[in-house]
Amino acid sequence: MSVRFLLDGEVIALDEVDPTFTVLEMLRTRLRRIGTKEGCAEGDCGACTVLLGELAGDEIAWRAVNSCILFLPMLDGKALLTVESLGGDHPVQRELVTHHGSQCGFCTPGIVMALYGRAIGALGSEQSVADALSGNLCRCTGYGPILAAAEAAGRTPRDDTALVAALKNLKSTAREFRFQDALAGRERIAFTPRTADELAALYLEHPQARLVAGATDAGLWVTKQHRVLDELIFIGGIADLRNIDEKPEGLRLGAAVRYSEAQASLARLHPALGKLVRRIGGTQIRNAGTIGGNIANGSPIGDMPPALIALGAELTLRRGDTRRIMALEDFFIAYGKQDRQAGEFVESVFIPCPDASDMISISKLSKRFDSDISAVCGGIVLRVEAGRIAQARIAFGGMAATPKRASAAEGFLKDAAFSEDNLEQAATLLAADFAPLTDVRGSSAYRLTVAGNLLRRLWAERQGEIVSVLELEHG
Amino acid sequence: MADSEIQFLNAVSRPVPHDSARAHVAGRAVYTDDMPEAVGMLHGAFGLSQEAHAKILSLDLSAVRAAPGVVAVFSAADIPGKNDVSPFAGDDRLFAEREVIYYGQAVFLVVATSVEAARRAAKLGRIEYEKLPPLLSTQDALAANSVVEPAQSMGRGDVEAALTASPHRVKGLLEIGGQDHFYLEGQIAIATPQEEGQVHVLSSTQHPSEVQHIVARVLGLVDAEVTVEVRRMGGGFGGKETQASLFAAGAALAAVRTGRQVKIRADRDDDMILTGKRHEFSAAYEAGFDENGIIQAISIELASRCGCTMDLSNAINDRAMFHADNCYFYPVVKIHSQRAKTNTVSATAFRGFGGPQGMIVAERAMDHIAHELCLDPLLVRQRNLYGPGRDVTPYAMQVTDNVAPEMIAELVQSSDYEKRRAKVAEWNETHRIIKKGIALTPVKFGISFTTTHLNQGGALVNIYTDGSILLNHGGTEMGQGLMIKVAQVVADVFAVPVESVRISSTRTDKVPNTSATAASSGSDLNGMAAFNAAETIRRRLVEFAAKHFGVAEADVHFTQAGVQAGTELLSFAKFCHLAYLNRVSLSSTGFYATPDIHYDRKTHTGRPFYYFAYGAAVAEVAVDTLTGEHKVLAVDIIHDVGKSLNPAIDLGQVEGGFIQGMGWLTTEELVFDDKGRLLTHAPSTYKIPTASDRPARMEIKLWAPGRNVEPTIHRSKAVGEPPFMLANAVFCALTQAVAAAAAGGGFPKLDAPATPERILAAIAGLQAGHG
């Protein structure tokens, strides 16, 4: 089957595609669209930013993504825009020139596309300019002229009428891509199921396949580790894994819901969750990566699990037609090992609505505010009734081989008075539960200290102290 | 030479956009990797050492050769010329031979039919090592007497005696981290074989002439057989001054040997592992001073980790010494500098070239003195500034252009420093968790290559018969706006619009024997060389017009309306055509050598710098005492670029330099493990500033009265590097905030980069009472 997509409204059909060939490579080498650049090949610099559009009723939902870690089958049935699509005279481009927003110019096409996405109302376009650029690195300008240019460019909605019709006509039928890999010397295969039922059946047949949602991690297996992935199932296009269901009792997110799509609902559940999502990756990563992927990956430094565990989230796993529900913390067994059987996949996650008496503190600590991997990520939920802690749920990432609850501290706090002394005690008890590693993000001692300090932070915040520099303004 | 300032200025001093700006935003600016590829072009990838220090017992490349898509594999034995890609010392290998001296060193090169095939095959080399103990840290290397050159000293007076005689003394240590350039465009070269064994190399390099020499050296060719070309780089920052040679030489070797075009584009990880970075420094200082904080004597001991070879470490460490005074007069001084040779990647040029590391030691000493005396650090800084009768540097150069006092005074006013300092103190009284700090630091940065002979530039200006002008010079464009500045200079000579000056790629066959575009010297050297070339043509044209139209030379004028000769007025195009018909040459080279500089490295005395560039910055920061997180809240900058050639370009350099310096001092942390492996070799782990890190308030002004006292091109000043060090204000403000977290706890032991972990450690140190 061929991969078919629209580039500037024209149908492009690519036959015999390597399912892990990246969109960036395709653009640069096959189509000679050299405006899109490779800066890092891991989704951290944004020089390769393109816009991906898919039908949403009678409109096109656009999102800025990193083409360097986007695999070709993920383009199938979609519309693609690159810097060349803009023609050179879009207000974003004009204002960048006027404001001297480029120096070496290598990051510029990616910045143009990120800002163009914001200007046309792409996913996440309600963000500030700086937030929209959280996934774009510029080493020359210091960003000031770029920020000013983006403000000056304003909003420029697109007329996508013709493209909508073209996309409707394109009708992707491809479900399977086979590729004779000369370099690897064998056939490789990828599937693109469209429903969760299809996925469930397919995964039973191919339990050794890798599930790929946003490819924000799997992309790096290919571009960084040069791994050859023989069997892939792309799940980003499965509509019934992309439901967002907000109910009074809580929020249910389908496994393939992207961070950006979930951000508003999570913020409604609790503002701190919205802010946490803001700190995950850059805009392009949040526009591709999924909550389900973040969980299923089982990373000890995944940013969502600690907060979700503290909030009492539950996971629904599905194998064939069999489903089971488990507390999120029980999913993580050991480093690289999750409670997931062959052919079983994460279908959704449910986050119960916090109680009015819950004190919630969610913190991500990293060297850089934007797009960094946390040294420590902490979720603390204390249910305080009449001055006593009725329930304590405290979970950390970056502190152990898995996201993990602080059992000793929780046990100590349960039924204890909500007091500075007791939180102080609980902080010291973290050493009983955690022996964190030293790595590039932080030393063991630092991690243990700041994890404890997050409990002190919660206390100070409750006393009316300003406890974070992150949103501090000058003046 | 005539003072260029007297010229009528039309294009110069206007904020003209970068010449490539429209192409940048449209994705049409062509970088090396974007060039059309010849049919059958091969892709190269290096096989890297997996040991930091080892003997190579055997090298089995059979699996590499047998891998799909592989066309050829090269190692040291295949080099026809010298296995030497060093700038001058002869110690950098294209391929390791017998011994590997850093983790990630290139051992062999594989070329294949695709990038992926080459990169996969490069992992298949079987290298048998006999491990040798690696020296990884500066301290270990110095303890083992492992240095790239002997320690250097400069100074005057008896420091020990003067320190002893001083009423007050402080001493301290400061660790200063390195920095990866993180140019967005990684290292790349494309070599194309030419007839008779000659070779053309497209290289992303700041130094085409050196790449030319090195390619010739490696291939056993003469320089005239190698042409190196660069149109633009996607960022350089010093990282493509010497580091591009490895890739260019590898590609050239493979191209000549296979007869096919070869491209080597390092992926980000290989780029960061393989190539050099800013030097890490350890500094110790001891200052003696009076009750007003005025320094009587100071001793500064610098030691840097130079890595496994010399590269440019001699000049970089010298420049650290030259800037350990910054704007301050040291009556009695000793600056000692050790250059450790370690089994880590050879440290190299990076914007500031050692200056930042030297300068921040001076700022640390000022803060320490102020803390000791409970004075505003700004007061201590001001009292120690160079001034009348206190104007000779530790290297015996008189400071004759000192504008720091004036600039600081202006910045104190414009930034409302006093009031804000009071507000910061008030905040710290009333807030327990978040502490603030504010600091004002100045910059004085010496302009010229300290290796005197490098201070020369060449240019070639061609005017065609239609009046269009083609400009070429030895400088390279890496985003800094050199090309547009020089084009503005040339346009003004003929009073034509800057758009009529076409900019072409830098090529060693057009302008030979050039210096690197480095040391902030680009527009000083090439601007003046191009000015001289254009002036030569203009003089010819004036002479011709006077004769042709029978008027006095004084009555020939180049104006925006055209060329005026007496009462005749011709368009520039018509006039050029007329000159051509009358057999007047419309092409000229131009040359410039910086005058009046000299330096004796044996005594470390002389005038290494033609002039100084100045600036000053105020930074206000907030620190979270529970997590160490911090935020730069506001920055005010006044920077001196002399009379600006292009204020928009110059402001861009100031802001970009500042943010890059802020990254160096805050988020950018290089981590090596105990085997010498760089663990932070991609942007996932190495964090340069993003848009959110830019302070919300950022007031940047070029200093209005700025004018170079020396007759540089239109009295402008170099701007590439100096603003980088304005970011010292951030580090000093963080130090203030940390001190406020444990008032009475002593002077903070804060090292750079001030990551959250280091901030927290510094606070903990104060609380434990050993600050």
Side-chain angles (χ1 to χ4, degrees):
Chain A
M1 298 288 257
S2 60
V3 169
R4 296 165 75 237
F5 62 98
L6 294 175
L7 181 59
D8 303 340
E10 300 289 321
V11 178
I12 307 270
L14 300 173
D15 295 323
E16 283 292 303
V17 299
D18 176 340
T20 57
F21 203 66
T22 65
V23 172
L24 175 65
E25 281 297 292
M26 183 272 294
L27 285 170
R28 292 187 57 84
T29 62
R30 290 220 196 165
L31 304 183
R32 281 281 310 155
R33 283 212 175 200
I34 46 99
T36 308
K37 309 298 184 197
E38 178 183 311
C40 69
E42 62 178 29
D44 269 298
C45 82
C48 65
T49 303
V50 296
L51 290 196
L52 206 54
E54 49 200 314
L55 274 180
D58 283 330
E59 288 182 8
I60 294 181
W62 293 103
R63 56 196 166 98
V65 293
N66 293 306
S67 64
C68 70
I69 48 171
L70 189 71
F71 296 137
L72 278 184
M74 300 167 79
L75 257 191
D76 192 49
K78 297 193 177 74
L80 179 67
L81 297 175
T82 69
V83 67
E84 289 87 352
S85 311
L86 275 58
D89 204 31
H90 184 271
V92 162
Q93 295 170 306
R94 279 206 307 271
E95 295 298 340
L96 278 169
V97 173
T98 306
H99 287 82
H100 311 283
S102 69
Q103 286 184 23
C104 86
F106 200 82
C107 73
T108 311
I111 284 181
V112 166
M113 292 311 284
L115 293 180
Y116 177 70
R118 183 173 181 274
I120 65 167
L123 184 59
S125 62
E126 67 290 343
Q127 301 182 96
S128 72
V129 175
D131 285 4
L133 289 175
S134 54
N136 290 86
L137 299 178
C138 169
R139 191 54 151 165
C140 297
T141 64
Y143 301 100
I146 297 170
L147 297 168
E151 297 291 356
R155 303 283 179 169
T156 59
R158 279 173 60 93
D159 177 5
D160 279 326
T161 317
L163 207 53
V164 168
L167 258 190
K168 284 181 175 170
N169 275 333
L170 186 66
K171 274 210 189 44
S172 163
T173 52
R175 293 289 182 274
E176 184 178 312
F177 302 88
R178 287 178 185 275
F179 177 67
Q180 292 300 330
D181 187 336
L183 215 53
R186 57 183 183 266
E187 186 184 66
R188 292 164 43 219
I189 187 164
F191 302 97
T192 51
R194 297 299 152 131
T195 66
D197 289 346
E198 270 179 59
L199 167 63
L202 196 61
Y203 201 21
L204 276 184
E205 276 175 53
H206 300 270
Q208 68 283 14
R210 287 281 184 174
L211 301 191
V212 177
T216 56
D217 196 28
L220 278 63
W221 303 344
V222 174
T223 61
K224 296 274 147 166
Q225 298 166 17
H226 304 284
R227 274 162 67 180
V228 179
L229 304 174
D230 285 335
E231 273 190 78
L232 295 171
I233 302 177
F234 290 98
I235 63 169
I238 298 178
D240 49 352
L241 286 184
R242 294 190 40 212
N243 292 325
I244 300 175
D245 192 8
E246 285 181 65
K247 294 243 170 65
E249 61 269 27
L251 171 67
R252 182 172 298 280
L253 297 170
V257 173
R258 301 173 187 116
Y259 293 113
S260 299
E261 295 164 341
Q263 189 171 3
S265 306
L266 286 166
R268 278 191 289 275
L269 198 73
H270 194 277
L273 273 178
K275 287 177 188 169
L276 175 65
V277 173
R278 161 65 189 84
R279 303 269 319 271
I280 292 174
T283 295
Q284 295 88 331
I285 293 295
R286 297 194 290 274
N287 285 349
T290 63
I291 310 272
N294 191 239
I295 292 169
N297 219 341
S299 167
I301 43 174
D303 279 338
M304 291 307 293
L308 297 185
I309 290 170
L311 287 163
E314 288 175 347
L315 216 49
T316 299
L317 294 163
R318 176 174 175 184
R319 183 173 185 278
D321 289 326
T322 311
R323 291 180 173 83
R324 56 188 181 122
I325 294 171
M326 69 172 73
L328 179 55
E329 59 265 38
D330 295 338
F331 182 64
F332 305 107
I333 298 170
Y335 180 76
K337 187 165 184 239
Q338 296 87 43
D339 182 4
R340 192 174 63 80
Q341 296 161 26
E344 191 175 40
F345 61 93
V346 175
E347 191 173 50
S348 68
V349 59
F350 175 77
I351 311 144
C353 205
D355 191 85
S357 60
D358 286 346
M359 295 179 180
I360 298 177
S361 175
I362 296 172
S363 300
K364 167 172 173 164
L365 305 178
S366 56
K367 285 181 203 168
R368 191 175 70 188
F369 177 73
D370 271 326
S371 190
D372 199 356
I373 298 168
S374 47
V376 172
C377 205
I380 305 169
V381 179
L382 302 181
R383 185 160 296 175
V384 180
E385 288 162 359
R388 301 203 79 78
I389 300 170
Q391 186 188 312
R393 295 181 64 91
I394 302 168
F396 291 104
M399 295 285 287
T402 62
K404 193 180 149 192
R405 286 179 70 170
S407 313
E410 286 181 356
F412 172 79
L413 287 174
K414 185 164 164 50
D415 301 325
F418 179 67
S419 70
E420 185 169 18
D421 277 355
N422 283 336
L423 286 175
E424 196 61 43
Q425 283 278 343
T428 60
L429 283 171
L430 293 180
D433 280 318
F434 298 97
L437 290 178
T438 292
D439 66 13
V440 299
R441 288 173 280 274
S443 69
S444 175
Y446 172 74
R447 287 178 149 132
L448 207 51
T449 302
V450 290
N453 282 354
L454 293 183
L455 285 161
R456 299 178 178 106
R457 170 185 269 192
L458 184 145
W459 174 261
E461 187 174 18
R462 290 285 150 174
Q463 309 315 306
E465 281 275 348
I466 295 173
V467 294
S468 173
V469 296
L470 299 181
E471 283 156 52
L472 214 56
E473 298 296 336
H474 179 252
Chain B
M1 176 199 331
D3 186 341
S4 62
E5 195 178 18
I6 58 169
Q7 287 297 312
F8 167 70
L9 299 184
N10 166 39
V12 163
S13 86
R14 280 175 42 220
V16 184
H18 194 287
D19 47 285
S20 295
R22 285 178 193 288
H24 289 155
V25 299
R28 289 196 300 264
V30 174
Y31 301 81
T32 303
D33 194 37
D34 303 335
M35 295 294 284
E37 298 169 358
V39 174
M41 187 187 79
L42 301 174
H43 300 264
F46 286 107
L48 309 185
S49 158
Q50 302 300 307
E51 292 293 335
H53 192 200
K55 277 187 192 161
I56 298 177
L57 296 179
S58 68
L59 180 59
D60 175 4
L61 301 175
S62 52
V64 185
R65 283 199 178 83
V70 169
V71 173
V73 185
F74 303 100
S75 59
D78 301 302
I79 295 172
K82 278 192 180 162
N83 185 6
D84 174 11
V85 293
S86 68
F88 69 90
D91 51 356
D92 288 299
R93 303 279 159 262
L94 171 56
F95 302 121
E97 213 171 336
R98 293 187 290 278
E99 188 185 24
V100 292
I101 52 175
Y102 75 98
Y103 180 89
Q105 186 180 7
V107 181
F108 63 92
L109 171 72
V110 52
V111 291
T113 50
S114 74
V115 181
E116 190 61 22
R119 288 181 183 168
R120 282 194 209 172
K123 312 273 181 219
L124 302 176
R126 286 194 204 97
I127 307 168
E128 204 185 335
Y129 301 102
E130 180 191 325
K131 287 189 202 179
L132 300 169
L135 292 169
L136 298 176
S137 71
T138 304
Q139 288 68 26
D140 287 352
L142 293 179
N145 279 323
S146 173
V147 293
V148 296
E149 68 167 352
Q152 303 290 312
S153 273
M154 65 173 61
R156 66 177 153 241
D158 183 343
V159 173
E160 284 311 315
L163 281 173
T164 308
S166 295
H168 300 272
R169 283 158 78 168
V170 292
K171 60 198 277 187
L173 303 169
L174 177 62
E175 297 293 330
I176 306 159
Q179 184 179 28
D180 189 86
H181 304 84
F182 210 86
Y183 27 64
L184 264 286
E185 177 211 38
Q187 301 277 354
I188 182 166
I190 301 174
T192 310
Q194 311 287 310
E195 61 181 27
E196 300 291 336
Q198 300 182 19
V199 65
H200 172 271
V201 184
L202 277 167
S203 170
S204 184
T205 176
Q206 294 170 238
H207 201 345
S209 285
E210 186 170 280
V211 170
Q212 175 198 23
H213 301 153
I214 286 172
V215 167
R217 186 198 295 159
V218 167
L219 296 182
L221 301 175
V222 297
D223 291 347
E225 291 172 309
V226 178
T227 302
V228 175
E229 177 177 4
V230 54
R231 170 60 187 93
R232 62 168 64 76
M233 285 162 270
F237 316 113
K240 296 171 181 171
E241 183 172 352
T242 62
Q243 303 297 296
S245 301
L246 178 78
F247 304 90
L253 170 68
V256 166
R257 290 288 301 272
T258 61
R260 289 159 78 169
Q261 191 178 59
V262 172
K263 181 194 284 189
I264 302 180
R265 174 172 66 86
D267 70 12
R268 181 59 63 181
D269 305 78
D270 281 0
D271 183 303
M272 290 184 74
I273 291 167
L274 256 173
T275 69
K277 305 163 200 322
R278 185 185 295 285
H279 290 64
E280 288 178 19
F281 268 66
S282 300
Y285 58 88
E286 182 168 12
F289 48 96
D290 67 13
E291 60 282 2
N292 295 315
I294 295 172
I295 289 178
Q296 315 282 298
I298 190 166
S299 161
I300 295 173
E301 302 264 350
L302 303 173
S304 77
R305 186 165 83 159
C306 299
C308 56
T309 63
M310 173 65 94
D311 189 71
L312 304 175
S313 287
N314 55 350
I316 291 166
N317 284 277
D318 284 0
R319 189 168 275 270
M321 298 169 79
F322 289 132
H323 289 82
D325 62 336
N326 194 15
C327 293
Y328 311 115
F329 177 65
Y330 300 152
V332 179
V333 53
K334 182 179 179 195
I335 301 169
H336 186 70
S337 161
Q338 298 183 85
R339 293 105 196 257
K341 183 176 184 176
T342 54
N343 294 111
T344 51
V345 65
S346 195
T348 192
F350 194 145
R351 202 177 200 169
F353 205 71
Q357 296 96 316
M359 202 179 284
I360 196 149
V361 181
E363 298 306 334
R364 166 55 64 97
M366 292 298 145
D367 282 342
H368 203 161
I369 292 167
H371 188 270
E372 188 73 11
L373 297 174
C374 296
L375 291 172
D376 177 353
L378 174 60
L379 205 58
V380 173
R381 289 189 164 90
Q382 286 175 308
R383 287 173 178 167
N384 281 293
L385 292 174
Y386 283 109
R390 298 162 40 89
D391 58 1
V392 180
T393 67
Y395 45 94
M397 174 173 168
Q398 195 182 11
V399 181
T400 57
D401 59 3
N402 182 21
V403 293
E406 268 176 89
M407 292 180 69
I408 291 171
E410 186 179 325
L411 183 62
V412 167
Q413 290 301 314
S414 69
S415 68
D416 209 6
Y417 172 84
E418 299 294 348
K419 200 167 147 198
R420 283 168 60 194
R421 184 173 145 81
K423 279 179 77 178
V424 163
E426 197 183 302
W427 170 284
N428 289 339
E429 286 294 313
T430 51
H431 293 79
R432 198 163 61 95
I433 308 292
I434 307 297
K435 297 293 181 183
K436 290 187 178 177
I438 186 168
L440 187 158
T441 61
V443 168
K444 164 180 133 286
F445 193 76
I447 303 299
S448 293
F449 288 100
T450 59
T451 305
T452 302
H453 77 263
L454 298 175
N455 295 287
Q456 54 176 309
L460 171 67
V461 173
N462 294 336
I463 302 180
Y464 296 91
T465 55
D466 64 354
S468 62
I469 302 172
L470 187 72
L471 167 63
N472 204 284
H473 52 76
T476 57
E477 178 67 37
M478 61 198 93
Q480 82 279 42
L482 172 63
M483 296 294 171
I484 188 67
K485 280 186 171 179
V486 179
Q488 286 173 275
V489 167
V490 169
D492 268 7
V493 171
F494 303 106
V496 296
V498 67
E499 296 76 26
S500 61
V501 180
R502 285 283 176 279
I503 289 157
S504 58
S505 57
T506 309
R507 293 179 60 114
T508 55
D509 57 357
K510 281 195 180 163
V511 177
N513 312 325
T514 54
S515 292
T517 308
S520 306
S521 68
S523 46
D524 279 8
L525 299 179
N526 299 291
M528 200 60 109
F531 178 80
N532 290 339
E535 269 293 296
T536 300
I537 300 172
R538 196 186 67 89
R539 279 197 301 270
R540 281 185 211 141
L541 290 172
V542 167
E543 191 186 336
F544 155 70
K547 218 182 273 177
H548 187 83
F549 293 109
V551 298
E553 287 189 7
D555 291 329
V556 178
H557 301 289
F558 289 78
T559 74
Q560 288 177 49
V563 182
Q564 183 94 46
T567 54
E568 296 278 343
L569 179 69
L570 278 80
S571 72
F572 185 66
K574 281 202 174 124
F575 178 69
C576 290
H577 190 67
L578 185 67
Y580 162 74
L581 293 177
N582 286 275
R583 298 189 290 176
V584 177
S585 166
L586 294 173
S587 172
S588 177
T589 60
F591 185 76
Y592 174 70
T594 312
D596 304 331
I597 49 176
H598 53 89
Y599 194 65
D600 179 359
R601 195 163 184 256
K602 286 195 196 75
T603 57
H604 283 297
T605 57
R607 182 189 176 182
F609 304 119
Y610 191 34
Y611 62 90
F612 295 100
Y614 295 85
V618 172
E620 186 177 337
V621 304
V623 162
D624 182 339
T625 58
L626 288 177
T627 62
E629 293 167 292
H630 50 84
K631 185 170 178 176
V632 182
L633 300 171
V635 169
D636 293 68
I637 289 170
I638 298 181
H639 194 79
D640 165 35
V641 296
K643 286 172 81 88
S644 176
L645 293 174
N646 182 325
I649 297 289
D650 285 346
L651 279 169
Q653 288 298 298
V654 175
E655 177 168 354
F658 175 86
I659 294 292
Q660 202 173 65
M662 186 182 85
W664 169 54
L665 292 169
T666 56
T667 57
E668 294 182 39
E669 186 178 30
L670 291 164
V671 182
F672 291 83
D673 72 6
D674 58 5
K675 294 189 171 59
R677 291 181 295 206
L678 176 65
L679 302 179
T680 48
H681 49 74
S684 50
T685 45
Y686 185 75
K687 312 312 279 189
I688 71 168
T690 67
S692 300
D693 296 316
R694 180 184 187 273
R697 171 187 157 130
M698 204 149 171
E699 300 287 336
I700 307 175
K701 276 186 283 194
L702 300 181
W703 193 47
R707 179 181 177 277
N708 202 331
V709 299
E710 301 297 340
T712 52
I713 184 74
H714 298 303
R715 299 279 175 174
S716 63
K717 285 191 178 184
V719 70
E721 294 164 290
F724 183 93
M725 286 147 276
L726 294 168
N728 289 345
V730 170
F731 191 74
C732 293
L734 287 169
T735 307
Q736 297 299 316
V738 167
F747 183 67
K749 171 84 183 77
L750 180 65
D751 291 327
T755 57
E757 178 160 359
R758 285 207 183 81
I759 297 239
L760 213 55
I763 293 171
L766 293 185
Q767 286 164 342
H770 41 75

